[in-house]
Amino acid sequence: MIITPQEENMIKAFREAALPPLFVLIRIRNEISSDTINVEESRRDDVVKILEQYIAPLWEDYHKGKKSQTQEGL
């Protein structure tokens, strides 16, 4: 998959802000899925599907961590 300069700059900006990886992936997914001007529909759908594959396991880990923190606090 080829990353456009715009996508690369967005990724660099998120890294520099030291945001959590899960937040970055979700934000990039949302930005690309709603960018109807700069990203072709077929490419947009492909990128969103790929990002969702990366987000799903991180999202599950996040919720497992939250659940274990809640149980430890009881």
Side-chain angles (χ1 to χ4, degrees), residues 17-41:
L19 297 169
L22 179 58
F23 174 84
V24 172
L25 288 172
I26 292 171
R27 183 66 191 259
I28 290 171
R29 181 227 174 264
N30 292 344
E31 291 291 326
I32 290 172
S33 69
S34 63
D35 188 347
T36 58
I37 296 170
N38 298 310
V39 183
E40 296 175 16
E41 185 176 354

Side-chain angles (χ1 to χ4, degrees), residues 28-30 32-34 43-53 55:
I28 290 171
R29 181 227 174 264
N30 292 344
I32 290 172
S33 69
S34 63
R43 177 166 168 72
R44 188 171 57 240
D45 293 341
D46 290 343
V47 171
V48 167
K49 286 178 186 175
I50 290 168
L51 287 170
E52 287 175 348
Q53 290 174 356
I55 291 169

Side-chain angles (χ1 to χ4, degrees), residues 3 8-21 24 28:
I3 296 175
E8 186 175 349
N9 288 336
M10 184 173 33
I11 292 167
K12 285 180 183 177
F14 284 133
R15 285 183 183 161
E16 290 170 2
L19 297 169
V24 172
I28 290 171

